[in-house]
Amino acid sequence: MTTPNREIELVWHDLTPRLLEVARVVRVTPRTVRVTLTGAALDGFCYAAPDDHVKVFFPEPGAALPVMPTLGPDGLESPPPGAPKPTFRDYTVRHHRPEQRELDLDFVLHGHGPAGSWAAQATPGQVLGVLGPRGSTINPFTFDWYLFAGDETALPAVAVWLERVPAGVPVFAFLDVADAAEEQQLAITADTTLVWLHRDRGVDGGQLEQAIRGLELPPGDGYCWVAGEATSLKPIRRYLRTLGLSRDWVEVDGYWKRGVVNLDHHDDDDD
Ligand SMILES: Cc1cc2nc3c(=O)[nH]c(=O)nc-3n(C[C@H](O)[C@H](O)[C@H](O)COP(=O)(O)OP(=O)(O)OC[C@H]3O[C@@H](n4cnc5c(N)ncnc54)[C@H](O)[C@@H]3O)c2cc1C
């Protein structure tokens, strides 16, 4: 029997800055807003992997257009001295409909920050800047099982992971959300165990870790993808590293950090 290809491939894309118009704004849940962006500038947009994400550039309060990035040979660069600085944050592609020239981004309304504040007032006709995705991490979908977990910021990626794993492969998904109203209807196969954890019922905040530790994983090679608040992910990352899976098969990314403005890189430290 030949061993299936379980290589995770990173594919790079051209970095094109795009100005896009808000076509629609839909409240998916009380704390999540789906913004549909559109425009001819979307032609050529590359979208390949569930966790593909873009940098979104927001207009300053009162301005119609965002300050766009300065790009150099290695990507994003600091603006020249004296030039206005762009305000940007990372967001996951929830849907891309190339024929309709539409891109959906789901924003968590967490009550602070330029991105959260912009999303709370988003209206059709407004303009945002988008840069990326810079690259896509391509999963061969040949693993014996999959584990996906995270909070609301990870939900757009987890939703796409769940849509893409082939039927017949065991999938375990844990989504840690504020309360029952934050649950979303997700497309899952009959082999998927999807568990919603509600923080309003949590006692010590470690319910995602407890749920993952409590899972009896099937034999064979598994792929784990977890994202959310950086500090709370550290014990999960440490635990998943003990499972004996190849390091490339365990992806744990801090998507934001409590008390930190714009965690401007994925926090994927090993500690
Ligand atoms: C690769 C990647 C993909 C991401 N995809 C998404 C996505 O699809 N949808 C999404 O909503 N977010 C996503 N995020 C997270 C998002 O980029 C951060 O939450 C970002 O900090 C929001 O910016 P802000 O301007 O609202 O807040 P900031 O100005 O960055 O932060 C202000 C304050 O708000 C707090 N804060 C930030 N985010 C949250 C939060 N979610 N809940 C509670 N408090 C928070 C910070 O700790 C800080 O104290 C992603 C992050 C990464 C790295």
Side-chain angles (χ1 to χ4, degrees), residues 31-32 51-54 58 87-94 105-117 151-157 199 229 253-267:
R31 281 166 47 104
T32 302
D51 56 352
D52 276 2
H53 51 275
V54 291
F58 300 92
T87 299
F88 60 90
R89 300 289 187 268
D90 284 320
Y91 281 84
T92 304
V93 176
R94 178 64 185 90
L105 305 177
D106 285 1
F107 291 78
V108 176
L109 302 175
H110 58 89
H112 359 48
S117 309
D151 63 12
E152 291 93 334
T153 62
L155 209 157
R199 287 193 295 279
E229 200 281 321
D253 279 350
Y255 269 15
W256 62 283
K257 196 167 190 170
R258 196 168 303 286
V260 173
V261 169
N262 188 18
L263 181 68
D264 186 24
H265 61 282
H266 308 213
D267 185 317

Side-chain angles (χ1 to χ4, degrees), residues 13-35:
H13 308 302
D14 282 344
L15 265 188
T16 306
R18 298 177 156 88
L19 279 175
L20 299 173
E21 189 176 322
V22 176
R24 289 187 298 285
V25 178
V26 173
R27 216 28 108 95
V28 181
T29 66
R31 281 166 47 104
T32 302
V33 158
R34 177 161 301 157
V35 175

